[in-house]
Amino acid sequence: LAATVFFGIQNKPGTGGNPADQTARHALPSMITPEVRNNLFDQFITAFNSRDLDAMYNMLGPIAKAQVTKETADKEFKKLIKFFHSVTGGAYTYSELTSTHGSTTVYTLYYAVKFSEKSEIGRSGMLKITIAVQGQTFQVYGLFLDGDTRNR
């Protein structure tokens, strides 16, 4: 049993077939360095743990913000905070090519996370940060936090 709260844009499948096959052929672009991956993670947990709804919303790129109002985002972020309370640690584990849309390539970055003992959803889970890369720029499309209730 897993409990999941998702926030971000709904990413429709793109071209190119099976994501596992795509991932094998497409490594993360060179601009998505370990430092960039770590900065995204640190930015999320700092905002999340301090309950800074503005900072969490500001992680999102223009496309996500165009589809989700600040009020809706705040409501969803408050759910994440209520259920998971705080992130006590974590690390990047892997990435996956999600889809391609013209010149935009969408990846999901996976981070194994630990939650505080106050979490209602368990003590461990996965943070998924979806990013869209176009040329030499990227933006965050969505944030997905999944907790495993077996580890309560």
Side-chain angles (χ1 to χ4, degrees):
L1 179 66
T4 301
V5 177
F6 171 77
F7 175 74
I9 68 169
Q10 293 298 322
N11 188 31
K12 296 179 182 160
T15 61
N18 180 326
D21 292 340
Q22 293 260 346
T23 301
R25 292 192 307 265
H26 292 87
L28 280 172
S30 60
M31 66 193 230
I32 308 299
T33 64
E35 181 180 18
V36 168
R37 295 189 313 253
N38 291 338
N39 286 342
L40 284 168
F41 179 73
D42 291 343
Q43 187 178 359
F44 176 81
I45 63 168
T46 298
F48 184 83
N49 289 345
S50 65
R51 280 102 172 108
D52 187 341
L53 302 177
D54 291 335
M56 284 193 282
Y57 185 71
N58 287 331
M59 283 189 70
L60 300 173
I63 292 175
K65 286 180 179 179
Q67 295 184 32
V68 180
T69 66
K70 174 79 166 76
E71 294 75 26
T72 299
D74 286 354
K75 183 177 160 185
E76 294 303 314
F77 289 142
K78 286 176 183 176
K79 287 181 193 177
L80 290 175
I81 292 165
K82 176 186 181 292
F83 292 131
F84 297 107
H85 191 266
S86 64
V87 177
T88 60
Y92 172 80
T93 56
Y94 65 99
S95 65
E96 190 172 72
L97 175 68
T98 305
S99 62
T100 56
H101 305 277
S103 62
T104 302
T105 306
V106 180
Y107 297 90
T108 301
L109 309 177
Y110 291 82
Y111 302 84
V113 294
K114 294 286 185 190
F115 304 115
S116 81
E117 65 280 351
K118 294 179 182 179
S119 170
E120 296 179 21
I121 308 297
R123 295 292 310 274
S124 64
M126 189 68 67
L127 169 65
K128 301 171 190 174
I129 300 177
T130 303
I131 60 170
V133 176
Q134 189 171 36
Q136 290 301 305
T137 64
F138 76 93
Q139 61 180 291
V140 174
Y141 265 18
L143 305 168
F144 182 94
L145 197 54
D146 183 47
D148 186 348
T149 58
R150 294 173 293 185
N151 296 317
R152 294 188 82 165

